[in-house]
Amino acid sequence: MDVTEILEAHKSKFDPITVEKLVPLEFDVNLLTAFDTGALDESLIKQNDQIEQYIKDLTRDNTQLLVNELFKLPVQSADAGVLAQLPNRISILPREKPLPKDKPLTRWEKFAKVKGIQNKKRDRMVLNEETGEYSPRWGYKGAKKEGKLDEDWLLPVPDHGDPMEDQYAKVREEKKGRVEKNTKRRRRNADEAQVPVKPTKFTKKK
């Protein structure tokens, strides 16, 4: 049984995958984009009964050329299936927002720059020699706990100090004072650098 005529009839129902263009398209396959710089057929554009079909045919041909470019790309296997490896982007898209401005240096950063001081990042976890365990240097379950009965079970009374004074409350108040002092310094540095200050548990949100 000769099925050549049947196959040809079936094939004629579909447009070919090869498209001839007078002006070749420019592709940016990374963005799945094709640029057609060719001139439009003004005779068809001016005819209201043919312009819609003309635009559809033009779009179909250009899309076919873009798909042809995709099938030329190298592929790799993945869990989701066979994926094409897109090339680098060619088109340079404009930024949505302007470039961020350089942040002004804080008072400490200016001082460190003049003195040539470089910040050294300390490890967050420190070893507690008494327990032999590592604990955070600061924050929740921090290694340095002042005024805690379970950590500082014995606090000496200073010379000429009041023996009836609660040393644990005194340590906590001193720590609170240091935190407030550091907060004021941080606000001052932020005001000088004109940057917003992030609120902490020791500062009230306004």
Side-chain angles (χ1 to χ4, degrees):
M1 178 179 180
D2 189 5
V3 295
T4 304
E5 295 182 359
I6 299 176
L7 293 176
E8 290 295 332
H10 179 75
K11 184 178 179 180
S12 63
K13 296 180 181 180
F14 301 95
D15 294 325
I17 62 173
T18 56
V19 179
E20 297 294 335
K21 300 284 290 187
L22 184 61
V23 179
L25 299 187
E26 297 179 3
F27 299 97
D28 192 341
V29 184
N30 181 275
L31 298 176
L32 304 182
T33 308
F35 302 95
D36 188 353
T37 57
L40 299 176
D41 191 338
E42 295 185 2
S43 61
L44 294 177
I45 292 178
K46 294 179 180 179
Q47 299 181 24
N48 294 333
D49 58 339
Q50 297 186 18
I51 182 173
E52 184 174 353
Q53 186 61 41
Y54 170 67
I55 296 298
K56 287 182 178 180
D57 294 341
L58 185 63
T59 304
R60 181 266 162 196
D61 291 345
N62 290 344
T63 304
Q64 181 64 63
L65 291 173
L66 178 59
V67 173
N68 293 347
E69 293 296 318
L70 292 176
F71 274 90
K72 296 177 183 178
L73 298 175
V75 296
Q76 62 180 3
S77 300
D79 295 338
V82 180
L83 305 178
Q85 300 178 12
L86 295 178
N88 295 330
R89 183 180 299 183
I90 300 175
S91 303
I92 301 177
L93 301 180
R95 288 178 58 90
E96 178 186 2
K97 298 179 181 179
L99 290 172
K101 298 180 180 179
D102 294 335
K103 293 182 179 180
L105 298 178
T106 62
R107 179 177 295 190
W108 162 250
E109 289 173 341
K110 292 178 182 178
F111 175 79
K113 186 176 181 180
V114 172
K115 296 295 183 179
I117 301 175
Q118 296 181 354
N119 290 334
K120 295 182 180 180
K121 187 175 181 180
R122 297 188 299 176
D123 295 333
R124 188 177 185 277
M125 305 298 291
V126 295
L127 176 64
N128 189 329
E129 296 180 358
E130 296 181 359
T131 62
E133 298 178 354
Y134 283 90
S135 57
R137 187 183 298 273
W138 58 83
Y140 178 66
K141 293 185 178 181
K144 191 175 182 180
K145 297 181 180 179
E146 298 173 309
K148 296 292 184 179
L149 184 61
D150 55 345
E151 295 289 336
D152 297 329
W153 62 273
L154 178 63
L155 290 177
V157 177
D159 295 339
H160 308 292
D162 185 1
M164 303 305 295
E165 183 181 15
D166 187 348
Q167 299 300 321
Y168 294 97
K170 181 179 179 181
V171 170
R172 288 193 292 268
E173 286 298 323
E174 291 176 352
K175 180 180 180 181
K176 184 178 179 181
R178 291 195 300 270
V179 170
E180 292 177 353
K181 184 177 180 181
N182 291 335
T183 301
K184 291 180 180 179
R185 287 182 176 177
R186 191 163 62 91
R187 286 187 176 277
R188 181 196 63 191
N189 292 336
D191 291 340
E192 292 179 356
Q194 298 179 354
V195 295
V197 179
K198 295 182 180 180
T200 65
K201 65 178 181 179
F202 299 103
T203 58
K204 295 182 179 179
K205 294 182 181 180
K206 297 182 179 180

